[in-house]
């Protein structure tokens, strides 16, 4: 049988140019500068071994993938009841930054992976940890990703500032939520923390370790330490299954069929329960905000590795 490194190399070589119709996100000006030809793919197994192929040294901002890590941390520190007192658990058929659903329903964001839900989550963490929030969150992210210390993770200042400067849409969402009483703290302070989390830089190896940690039920296979409870992993896996790829989540379930979360910098994180973590990065996005070549590579790997079990 072909070994895993050869399989990743073959998949990367085939998929990296399959970006037709895609373009890097441009609504955050700094993201538009990404090299559209970059491609990286990584896999981490439960022995803690990570395999990578392509431009695996490339760093990119987590964007919405940070919402998965923030959710793990929030459930672990605040508890499930508190987190889901102001955020729902249902998929969203609108865009990730849509304001429409909030106005039509109860001002409770549908899930923690759309922007409105993540902003509410970030306010809860900010309220709990105050001035220490960013340090505590980055410390948790470092452990989840298998980095050695919190200093090893960095915020990309250029992306952070670019997003903060141009985030009218997220400001509109947050002020709407504040007006409705779902948010009660300082909106700009909450948004600042949200932008910082979106701008944390990672590579696909980091994300594949994070995927393996969630897929194993909470144990980071690289460090051997338990990062979250099995119950937290179940919640996160469930939401990744139904809300992980914006309004393309159902199609992704058909094409790939594993719990995943994408971000607008072109990354996709996958947690294959009981099997492995996978991550891919390629900046050109489709209309839903998902990496075109990334989905292609994951669909191929899903079949080759029988990630659906069949
Ligand atoms: N920072 C991005 C925003 O808030 C994250 C979007 C995403 O990756 O889905 O618009």
């Amino acid at each position: 049988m072909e070994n895993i490194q050869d399989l990743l190399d073959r998949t990367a070589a085939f998929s990296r140019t399959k970006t037709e119709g895609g373009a890097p996100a441009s609504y955050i000006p700094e993201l538009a500068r990404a090299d559209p030809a970059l491609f990286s793919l990584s896999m981490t197994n439960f022995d803690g071994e990570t395999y990578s192929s392509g431009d695996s040294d490339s760093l990119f901002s987590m964007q919405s993938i940070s919402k998965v890590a923030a959710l793990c941390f929030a459930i672990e520190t605040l508890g499930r009841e508190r987190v889901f007192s102001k955020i729902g658990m249902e998929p969203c058929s609108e865009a990730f930054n849509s304001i429409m659903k909030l106005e039509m329903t109860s001002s409770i964001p549908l899930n923690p992976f759309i922007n409105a839900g993540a902003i509410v989550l970030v306010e809860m963490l900010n309220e709990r940890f105050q001035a220490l929030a960013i340090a505590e969150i980055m410390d948790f992210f470092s452990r989840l990703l298998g980095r050695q210390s919190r200093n090893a993770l960095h915020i990309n200042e250029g992306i952070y500032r670019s997003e903060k400067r141009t985030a009218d849409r997220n400001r509109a969402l947050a002020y709407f939520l504040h007006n409705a009483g779902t948010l009660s703290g300082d909106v700009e302070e909450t948004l600042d923390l949200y932008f910082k989390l979106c701008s944390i830089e990672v590579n696909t190896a980091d994300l594949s370790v994070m995927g393996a940690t969630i897929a194993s039920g909470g144990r980071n296979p690289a460090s051997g330490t338990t990062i979250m409870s099995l119950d937290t992993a179940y919640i996160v896996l469930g939401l990744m299954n139904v809300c992980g790829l914006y309004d393309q989540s159902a199609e992704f379930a058909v094409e790939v069929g594993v719990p995943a979360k994408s971000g607008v910098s072109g990354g996709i994180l996958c947690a294959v329960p009981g099997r492995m973590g996978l991550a891919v990065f390629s900046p050109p996005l489709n209309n839903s905000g998902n990496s075109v070549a990334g989905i292609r590579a994951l669909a191929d790997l899903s079949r080759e590795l029988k990630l659906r079990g069949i």
Side-chain angles (χ1 to χ4, degrees):
M1 202 186 120
E2 185 179 24
N3 73 37
I4 192 71
Q5 186 64 54
D6 290 346
L7 173 62
L8 294 187
D9 289 345
R10 182 163 60 79
T11 307
F14 180 76
S15 305
R16 64 178 307 145
T17 55
K18 304 284 184 293
T19 57
E20 306 90 61
S26 56
Y27 76 102
I28 298 173
E30 195 68 16
L31 291 183
R33 292 159 43 114
D35 178 355
L38 288 175
F39 183 95
S40 169
L41 181 61
S42 298
M43 186 269 239
T44 298
N45 63 26
F46 287 175
D47 292 328
E49 297 159 339
T50 296
Y51 301 84
S52 294
S53 191
D55 308 299
S56 49
D57 291 337
S58 306
L59 290 170
F60 52 95
S61 53
M62 290 180 89
Q63 297 300 332
S64 268
I65 299 173
S66 68
K67 293 169 176 143
V68 178
L71 177 63
C72 295
F73 184 54
I75 302 172
E76 285 295 302
T77 51
L78 310 174
R80 171 183 178 155
E81 217 167 296
R82 165 91 179 114
V83 169
F84 291 100
S85 63
K86 287 185 177 182
I87 306 170
M89 272 193 180
E90 292 303 327
C92 180
S93 52
E94 316 304 329
F96 61 94
N97 55 8
S98 169
I99 204 164
M100 189 171 85
K101 270 279 186 327
L102 282 180
E103 209 175 3
M104 281 164 56
T105 56
S106 58
S107 305
I108 298 287
L110 280 171
N111 67 66
F113 293 164
I114 54 173
N115 288 8
I119 291 168
V120 173
L121 189 89
V122 165
E123 184 184 81
M124 289 179 190
L125 289 172
N126 199 31
E127 200 173 59
R128 164 78 175 75
F129 292 103
Q130 311 263 319
L132 294 177
I134 187 66
E136 291 288 338
I137 295 170
M138 285 187 67
D139 180 53
F140 179 83
F141 279 30
S142 297
R143 287 184 282 120
L144 181 62
L145 272 59
R147 295 278 193 117
Q148 294 310 308
S149 74
R150 79 177 62 169
N151 295 330
L153 273 183
H154 293 287
I155 290 169
N156 182 314
E157 285 292 326
I159 292 176
Y160 158 68
R161 271 188 257 113
S162 179
E163 177 162 359
K164 188 167 172 152
R165 209 174 45 241
T166 56
D168 291 349
R169 186 89 189 181
N170 283 328
R171 282 204 173 80
L173 282 171
Y175 279 103
F176 180 89
L177 289 166
H178 191 263
N179 176 263
T182 312
L183 290 180
S184 53
D186 183 312
V187 172
E188 292 299 330
E189 198 178 299
T190 298
L191 284 170
D192 188 68
L193 183 56
Y194 170 83
F195 301 142
K196 283 184 176 145
L197 301 192
C198 290
S199 307
I200 293 173
E201 279 189 323
V202 292
N203 56 31
T204 53
D206 294 322
L207 292 185
S208 71
V209 172
M210 172 175 165
T213 305
I214 299 168
S216 75
R219 180 181 168 275
N220 181 322
S223 65
T225 51
T226 297
I227 309 295
M228 70 187 93
S229 72
L230 185 58
D231 284 343
T232 299
Y234 282 161
I235 296 169
V236 173
L237 284 166
L239 289 169
M240 286 169 77
N241 250 328
V242 292
C243 323
L245 272 87
Y246 313 116
D247 51 347
Q248 200 188 359
S249 297
E251 189 184 334
F252 185 83
V254 171
E255 297 300 332
V256 183
V258 301
K261 181 73 199 88
S262 57
V264 291
S265 54
I268 306 179
L269 157 84
C270 291
V272 190
R275 293 278 301 271
M276 65 181 74
L278 276 171
V280 65
F281 166 62
S282 163
L285 309 179
N286 63 21
N287 287 338
S288 296
N290 296 315
S291 170
V292 178
I295 293 181
R296 176 65 201 237
L298 293 170
D300 289 349
L301 282 179
S302 178
R303 277 178 189 272
E304 298 256 6
L305 293 169
K306 297 195 190 313
L307 296 182
R308 286 176 255 223
I310 49 172

